[in-house]
Amino acid sequence: EEYKEELILSDFRVKSSRNPRDVVHKFVLFEDELRCVTDSDWSFLMSNILGCQLSEDNTNLKITGYETKKKSGWLCGSSVERLVRRELELSAVEGAVDSLRRLNAAIKWLAQGHSGKDLPESILNNSESVENLPLPRKRRLLIFLNPKSGTQRALPIWKKVVKPMLENDADIETQLLITEKQNHAKNYVQEKKGLASAFDGIIIVSGDGLLHEVLNGVMMREDWVACIRSMSFGIVPAGTGNGLATVLTKRSKLPSGTLASAFLCAKMKSRPMDIMAVDIMGHEKIERLYSFLSLEWGLMSF
């Protein structure tokens, strides 16, 4: 196996009906994995982890994420993949409360996409005090939701799936804007002062049309370059076609659906995507529009 640097090594109890309370397991935190050396069932890939929460008395740590599991399909011998929520709850053994606090801080950094080299020295150095361990900055997302899109399920999807995952699991601050008319979102992002400094990204809970609207609003800003370079854009399908969401989940090797799209948005692991600029000749001026995925045009005869 390729050598990987150990960031944290300690013993913890796993709180589970399958694990007796008196059994202690040894865990090693790597940049890409929380590995249980004594029982691989308790290992957790960092790419699947959204975040963690430490109890007020610092003795219990709940780690939350999602994993792809296979289940039997309708046809004999067939199987389908689905995304399943997973929680791993650890408790400190005698004299190891400090290790649990260091593990909590380290996972919060790594879950946001930071590398092991980015971790503050005070988290990794056992001789350092665990009081006031540095934590990563909370990320902020601007959410646009069209309640009338598709089958009009955008608001329930936000309340039941997206909001809990972003705010509770990934500890992300959100600002929700429910659109009321055409170009509502476009005008907001076009006119919002300090958009790039106020938010780390924009999430659309709707169909491709609302993302197209937001994209064109951002590209009409004077500081559009700064916005495009510093902000991530994501979509949770709640429209009719949902083409982009389907492409993104398949590219990420995840099963299609709202849960997988919400998970990608919560991870905020972005990738570059080409967009098209289309100049439309008008009577008085040329109008530039921006598009993604596809471009369609037609001719009208009289």
Side-chain angles (χ1 to χ4, degrees):
E1 182 181 3
E2 181 182 353
Y3 171 77
K4 295 192 293 187
E5 182 181 1
E6 297 179 357
L7 302 177
I8 294 177
L9 172 65
S10 189
D11 294 335
F12 303 107
R13 288 190 177 91
V14 177
K15 299 184 67 176
S16 169
S17 58
R18 294 199 298 113
N19 186 61
R21 285 301 184 94
D22 58 344
V23 176
V24 175
H25 291 284
K26 185 176 294 295
F27 284 85
V28 183
L29 179 65
F30 299 102
E31 181 178 306
D32 62 347
E33 179 187 13
L34 175 62
R35 180 182 300 177
C36 182
V37 179
T38 49
D39 188 341
S40 60
D41 285 348
W42 306 120
S43 297
F44 215 147
L45 293 176
M46 286 306 308
S47 59
N48 294 333
I49 295 176
L50 287 181
C52 56
Q53 293 181 334
L54 188 66
S55 62
E56 292 185 2
D57 61 0
N58 300 318
T59 59
N60 293 283
L61 179 66
K62 182 165 69 174
I63 305 168
T64 307
Y66 287 80
E67 294 180 336
T68 302
K69 300 289 186 181
K70 288 186 176 182
K71 69 173 184 177
S72 299
W74 289 100
L75 298 176
C76 180
S78 66
S79 64
V80 293
E81 290 187 337
R82 62 192 180 104
L83 204 62
V84 178
R85 178 183 172 87
R86 181 189 175 191
E87 292 182 354
L88 175 63
E89 195 164 355
L90 305 178
S91 61
V93 299
E94 293 75 10
V97 174
D98 287 359
S99 295
L100 198 65
R101 296 177 68 175
R102 296 184 193 280
L103 180 64
N104 169 64
I107 289 178
K108 288 184 182 296
W109 281 91
L110 296 175
Q112 285 196 11
H114 297 279
S115 69
K117 297 179 180 180
D118 295 332
L119 296 185
E121 182 62 28
S122 57
I123 295 177
L124 304 178
N125 191 343
N126 291 330
S127 63
E128 296 276 350
S129 171
V130 295
E131 298 299 326
N132 301 317
L133 287 175
L135 299 177
R137 177 183 63 84
K138 263 197 172 185
R139 296 164 294 177
R140 298 196 71 225
L141 291 177
L142 175 60
I143 314 296
F144 287 107
L145 184 151
N146 179 5
K148 303 296 184 181
S149 65
T151 56
Q152 302 185 12
R153 294 188 59 247
L155 195 55
I157 288 173
W158 161 253
K159 291 180 178 180
K160 295 178 181 180
V161 179
V162 187
K163 179 180 171 68
M165 191 182 294
L166 294 178
E167 297 182 354
N168 300 337
D169 297 339
D171 197 26
I172 296 175
E173 293 182 0
T174 65
Q175 178 178 319
L176 175 65
L177 191 150
I178 299 177
T179 58
E180 300 174 352
K181 56 185 178 180
Q182 186 177 3
N183 290 328
H184 186 176
K186 177 183 177 181
N187 293 336
Y188 183 91
V189 296
Q190 184 178 348
E191 299 168 2
K192 171 69 176 178
K193 293 183 179 180
L195 182 67
S197 59
F199 301 102
D200 297 289
I202 298 177
I203 304 300
I204 306 300
V205 185
S206 182
D208 294 333
L210 187 57
L211 180 57
H212 176 265
E213 184 179 312
V214 169
L215 172 64
N216 279 275
V218 170
M219 296 301 292
M220 293 179 71
R221 296 175 58 93
E222 291 185 359
D223 62 344
W224 68 269
V225 175
C227 291
I228 292 296
R229 288 179 176 175
S230 65
M231 300 177 69
S232 300
F233 297 81
I235 185 168
V236 177
T240 303
N242 305 312
L244 182 60
T246 301
V247 170
L248 293 176
T249 51
K250 286 187 176 181
R251 285 284 300 271
S252 301
K253 297 181 180 180
L254 293 174
S256 299
T258 56
L259 193 63
S261 294
F263 175 75
L264 289 177
C265 292
K267 287 297 290 184
M268 289 185 64
K269 188 175 181 179
S270 60
R271 65 175 67 196
M273 185 180 76
D274 292 331
I275 59 175
M276 296 170 282
V278 183
D279 290 335
I280 301 176
M281 300 291 294
H283 293 293
E284 298 180 355
K285 62 178 182 179
I286 298 176
E287 180 183 8
R288 171 161 289 187
L289 296 178
Y290 294 89
S291 181
F292 54 89
L293 286 185
S294 63
L295 171 65
E296 298 178 3
W297 71 92
L299 298 175
M300 296 183 63
S301 60
F302 297 93

